[in-house]
Amino acid sequence: MVTMVENTVWYLKRNRLFDRISDEVVTGCSGLFVQRTFPKRSVLFEQGDPARMVYLLKRGKVRISRTTPDGKEITMAILADGDLFGEEIVFGENLVRSTQATCLEESYLCMSRMQDLYGIMSRNPLIALNVAKYLLEQRDDALNAVGEIASLKVHERLLKLFERLAADHGVATDGGTKVDVRLTHAQIASLVGSTRETVTLELSNLVRTGRLVADGHFFVVPHAVGV
């Protein structure tokens, strides 16, 4: 029988946080991570909560969102297997969450306390480097998204978004790649910097012209689709 510790070690070895880290180090760190399954719609943390934990998404989907001062909820990202989040704790103590994390489906997570992550990073500079690389990638993704909003038309932003979602959450079908995550038009609108009404219209146009395929509450990105 595989023990929980062995299961944690197996997963950590395959997570980008422990890329190029020896088996001995990974095994030594495994006891600092707790594994837990969260039901769909579970709120892992809310905006304004103290930042105490970092999360590794082993299986499932998590939505990162932010509420604006006028009460509008904006979807920032949809996370998939292998993603790291809650990483703002590396910037210092007594921080509060600037976002909310919600499970879009039943999700299996590995979690570590802030002080334990600090200890791991201080003893293993390569792990600290992996965290820094991940944060750099997150920054670059955010800058690219801002650039798309500034330079592309809404239908082009939608196609770019669904191409990214297909890469992260895609399931191969005969006609293309199904985006296996259910999002409301309002959530899609916040991801592309538009309004729900405009997104509804543009999605309808993309489906009508065959650049996206509607599959119930999901979308399929056809083969060789482009802007």
Side-chain angles (χ1 to χ4, degrees), residues 130-148:
N130 289 340
V131 172
K133 288 170 62 178
Y134 182 82
L135 294 175
L136 180 61
E137 290 175 11
Q138 295 295 94
R139 187 207 65 175
D140 289 344
D141 288 345
L143 290 175
N144 288 336
V146 170
E148 289 176 3

Side-chain angles (χ1 to χ4, degrees), residues 41 78 113 115 118 153 221:
R41 298 188 182 88
I78 306 296
R113 296 181 303 170
Q115 56 266 41
Y118 283 157
K153 296 178 180 179
V221 178

Side-chain angles (χ1 to χ4, degrees), residues 11 15-16 55-64 77-85 104-105 107-109 134 164-170 180-181:
Y11 172 67
N15 189 273
R16 62 195 307 175
Y55 301 80
L56 305 179
L57 180 54
K58 182 174 182 179
R59 183 179 66 251
K61 294 180 178 64
V62 172
R63 179 168 71 99
I64 304 298
I78 306 296
L79 305 181
D81 301 359
D83 279 333
L84 166 73
F85 63 102
L104 293 177
E105 62 185 37
S107 299
Y108 189 25
L109 298 160
Y134 182 82
R164 290 196 299 270
L165 290 174
D168 292 337
H169 310 278
D180 189 26
V181 57

Side-chain angles (χ1 to χ4, degrees), residues 159-189:
L159 288 174
K160 291 287 189 182
L161 171 66
F162 277 97
E163 288 172 358
R164 290 196 299 270
L165 290 174
D168 292 337
H169 310 278
V171 176
T173 66
D174 291 339
T177 305
K178 178 180 177 180
V179 176
D180 189 26
V181 57
R182 183 173 175 176
L183 297 172
T184 67
H185 286 193
Q187 290 167 350
I188 294 171

Side-chain angles (χ1 to χ4, degrees), residues 192-224:
V192 298
S194 186
T195 64
R196 181 184 60 79
E197 294 79 8
T198 299
V199 161
T200 298
L201 175 62
E202 294 295 345
L203 284 174
S204 178
N205 289 336
L206 290 171
V207 170
R208 178 176 52 81
T209 58
R211 305 180 85 177
L212 288 177
V213 177
D215 182 6
H217 295 289
F218 302 90
F219 287 94
V220 175
V221 178
H223 296 305

Side-chain angles (χ1 to χ4, degrees), residues 12 35 47 76 93 119 127 176 196 205 218:
L12 293 179
Q35 298 189 77
Q47 192 168 328
M76 310 296 294
E93 299 180 357
I127 295 178
R196 181 184 60 79
N205 289 336
F218 302 90

